[in-house]
Amino acid sequence: MRLYLYLFLFLFLNCQSRIAGSNPVPKGKQIPFEDKNHHPFSLTSKDFFMIDSNEKMKEVFRTIHQHTQGKRFSPIPLVRENETYLIIKPVLKNTNDVSVESIILDKDILYIKVKAFENPDFRPESRFSPNILLKLTGRIIFKKIAIN
């Protein structure tokens, strides 16, 4: 009987738990990035939009300038060959904005980790998902995005 007890104890201690409180962090490549702007209006109808040319960037900023009040417009960034710009729309839960903590590329999936916070520039009762413009270092090729 003790033999069975030791065997089960040994197996139990060597097993990894399958129950996790959140999604596991992928072991892929960490992507350096810059969080450029958060916009409280829609820039794209999709969940994400990759900007890899100056023509696409001009189209996005044409929409931004239409929603901008005043006489000064924000400058249009130049898309260089070793940069990729990305617009994401994370889902809000209890706050009016999110901050991007890390970006990891693993097997053609771009994992974006976000953290909720209250942005004083947006209305406190706003629950509209912000459109976040990110600048990724390098030409990043991916097929899917997962936002945690």
Side-chain angles (χ1 to χ4, degrees), residues 1-13:
M1 189 69 175
R2 280 190 174 178
L3 181 62
Y4 287 121
L5 180 64
Y6 289 131
L7 178 65
F8 285 121
L9 184 61
F10 175 75
L11 291 175
F12 178 74
L13 293 176

Side-chain angles (χ1 to χ4, degrees), residues 110-135:
L110 199 63
Y111 294 93
I112 302 175
K113 183 179 179 186
V114 296
K115 181 180 178 184
F117 83 99
E118 289 291 332
N119 189 342
D121 295 334
F122 296 166
R123 292 189 327 259
E125 67 277 358
S126 175
R127 291 294 177 253
F128 183 77
S129 294
N131 284 239
I132 302 174
L133 179 64
L134 300 171
K135 176 183 166 184

Side-chain angles (χ1 to χ4, degrees), residues 48-90:
F48 71 92
F49 183 68
M50 187 170 72
I51 303 170
D52 55 1
S53 68
N54 287 317
E55 290 78 26
K56 288 182 182 179
M57 184 66 80
K58 288 178 185 177
E59 287 296 320
V60 168
F61 269 81
R62 186 172 296 129
T63 305
I64 292 170
H65 292 160
Q66 288 174 353
H67 287 88
T68 304
Q69 297 176 353
K71 296 181 180 180
R72 293 189 58 168
F73 294 128
S74 56
I76 301 172
L78 182 65
V79 180
R80 297 192 174 96
E81 64 184 52
N82 62 345
E83 297 173 344
T84 303
Y85 284 84
L86 184 66
I87 296 173
I88 62 169
K89 293 169 125 178

